[in-house]
Amino acid sequence: MMIRTLICLLLLAGSVVQAQDTFRNPLLSKGPDPWCVYKDGYYYYMHTMGDRLELWKTKNIAFLKDAEHKTIWTPPAAGPFSKEIWAPEIHFLRGKWYVYFAADGGDNQYHRIYALENSSADPMKGDWIFKSKVADVEDKWAIDASVFEHRGKLYMIWSGWEGNKNGRQDIYIAAMKDPLTIKGKRVRISKPEYAWETKGDIGDPNLRHIDVNEGPEMLKYGKKLFIVFSGSACWTDDYALGILAADEGSDLLDPASWKKKPESVFKQSAENNVYAPGHNSFFTSPDGKEYWILYHANDHPGDGCGDKRSPRIQRFSWDKDGWPVFGKPVRTDSLLKSPRI
């Protein structure tokens, strides 16, 4: 009897381990513009909520649905950063936590980047304090900001307008004096130019079409820096990822340092029932040996640019020249192995 009980317990333990070792996408039923960062044994995750900033904390990003989460900031009822709160990212920089997000006062033409700060070691604790708008001297329309450090210097990358009218979104980069201050002028390093990144018909008589580059994210590997960005309008099934590359020793503020691959590197897969994959971020497994992409996508064609977008993750590899190979977005019924501990 004891042997039989022991065998049953071992089988049960094995099934629990197997259940914890595998998962299926999506991670949540909805979650546009997903972002995560790994620090001190935990993944911290955010996505666009629209009316607030919410933060998740988990040891295993594959089981995000079971993670602790809380609202860390609610905007004022009115004002320039009270509405349309998009694409939040949490970063640990110079000993403190920062969240960058885009917001406006109810009119899209006034979207700008704003930042919160938290000095607690655990960003789920302590106080999140609204600090300021983060803008270059031109202070034009801006969304989808991300910050990275390279060779001891901070940089911000984002999607912005060249002027004051909608019609085209470009990718910009600027140096930062500190996590809250851009120094010098912004530099455009990408604009929509290829067929895959210029799908954006609207049908509005006042604005019939928009060309889009947005959601830039840094990815470092070997001696190269990559910026992976989303091209074409998010309301189209053609929303996809493109890539810019620069040598690690180049001047990152020189547009000539960045070379764009003419083709998209991650796009819809009708055979896998995945549409409009984009607005990604990257992370590694806790042991640092596996590379993963986190992105949102739709399950059906025509699902658009709303809450039908859900967060998904999958592993990717590198080719012999040190470029990322993302493959195709996987089916939601695919059983995947979770990030290796």
Side-chain angles (χ1 to χ4, degrees):
M1 186 68 175
M2 289 181 62
I3 294 176
R4 184 180 298 174
T5 301
L6 180 59
I7 291 173
C8 290
L9 289 173
L10 288 172
L11 289 172
L12 178 61
S15 64
V16 169
V17 169
Q18 185 178 15
Q20 292 176 340
D21 197 38
T22 57
F23 72 99
R24 288 183 175 89
N25 281 316
L27 304 183
L28 299 171
S29 61
K30 60 182 180 180
D33 313 327
W35 163 268
C36 77
V37 64
Y38 184 78
K39 189 177 188 302
D40 299 333
Y42 291 93
Y43 292 97
Y44 297 97
Y45 168 92
M46 304 186 79
H47 66 237
T48 292
M49 304 294 291
D51 61 354
R52 66 190 186 278
L53 295 175
E54 195 149 338
L55 180 63
W56 281 253
K57 178 182 180 180
T58 179
K59 281 187 172 292
N60 191 335
I61 191 69
F63 296 96
L64 191 60
K65 64 182 186 300
D66 301 320
E68 171 190 5
H69 62 99
K70 61 183 284 190
T71 297
I72 60 169
W73 183 76
T74 302
F81 47 87
S82 59
K83 304 289 191 302
E84 302 295 342
I85 299 166
W86 296 347
E89 291 192 6
I90 181 170
H91 294 260
F92 188 76
L93 302 165
R94 309 288 166 88
K96 295 182 181 181
W97 290 99
Y98 295 89
V99 167
Y100 302 93
F101 63 96
D104 63 30
D107 185 340
N108 176 54
Q109 68 176 314
Y110 297 109
H111 252 111
R112 298 294 188 275
I113 304 301
Y114 298 91
L116 308 178
E117 183 184 78
N118 188 339
S119 58
S120 173
D122 184 346
M124 298 291 280
K125 300 177 181 178
D127 296 321
W128 280 100
I129 300 170
F130 179 86
K131 299 302 290 187
S132 63
K133 178 168 66 175
V134 184
D136 67 299
V137 292
E138 291 186 82
D139 193 18
K140 303 294 186 182
W141 185 91
I143 63 168
D144 297 353
S146 191
V147 175
F148 68 93
E149 187 166 3
H150 182 60
R151 295 189 169 181
K153 297 180 180 180
L154 289 176
Y155 299 87
M156 177 173 277
I157 47 179
W158 70 93
S159 176
W161 295 350
E162 182 178 27
N164 296 315
K165 291 184 179 181
N166 199 356
R168 194 186 76 213
Q169 294 174 219
D170 302 329
I171 302 298
Y172 290 91
I173 187 171
M176 302 189 79
K177 179 182 178 182
D178 56 56
L180 296 171
T181 311
I182 289 178
K183 64 179 181 181
K185 294 183 177 181
R186 64 178 183 165
V187 176
R188 184 175 65 196
I189 55 175
S190 179
K191 66 179 181 179
E193 53 191 314
Y194 298 110
W196 72 267
E197 56 184 341
T198 54
K199 311 294 186 184
D201 288 346
I202 301 174
D204 185 331
N206 297 314
L207 185 63
R208 296 182 180 277
H209 183 92
I210 299 176
D211 290 334
V212 177
N213 279 181
E214 64 183 15
E217 297 296 345
M218 173 53 58
L219 177 62
K220 297 183 182 182
Y221 187 77
K223 295 183 177 182
K224 287 188 178 295
L225 275 66
F226 300 98
I227 291 178
V228 178
F229 64 94
S230 301
S232 286
C234 65
W235 55 85
T236 72
D237 295 334
D238 297 297
Y239 199 58
L241 297 181
I243 194 166
L244 302 166
D247 294 331
E248 64 174 0
S250 62
D251 180 1
L252 303 186
L253 300 179
D254 181 355
S257 297
W258 296 97
K259 308 300 182 184
K260 182 192 292 189
K261 196 167 187 177
E263 306 84 15
S264 62
V265 294
F266 194 65
K267 61 183 180 180
Q268 65 172 310
S269 174
E271 65 268 36
N272 289 343
N273 297 317
V274 180
Y275 300 88
H279 203 114
N280 71 288
S281 62
F282 300 104
F283 65 93
T284 61
S285 55
D287 66 5
K289 295 180 180 180
E290 298 175 352
Y291 288 84
W292 291 73
I293 182 172
L294 166 64
Y295 61 97
H296 73 225
N298 289 322
D299 288 335
H300 307 97
D303 274 349
C305 195
D307 280 344
K308 292 182 179 180
R309 296 173 294 174
S310 56
R312 301 127 190 264
I313 62 173
Q314 63 189 71
R315 283 186 65 180
F316 67 92
S317 59
W318 301 89
D319 69 17
K320 60 181 178 59
D321 296 319
W323 285 69
V325 179
F326 299 119
K328 294 181 179 180
V330 297
R331 298 177 61 92
T332 55
D333 59 4
S334 297
L335 190 63
L336 305 175
K337 200 166 185 179
S338 61
R340 182 170 57 187
I341 302 297

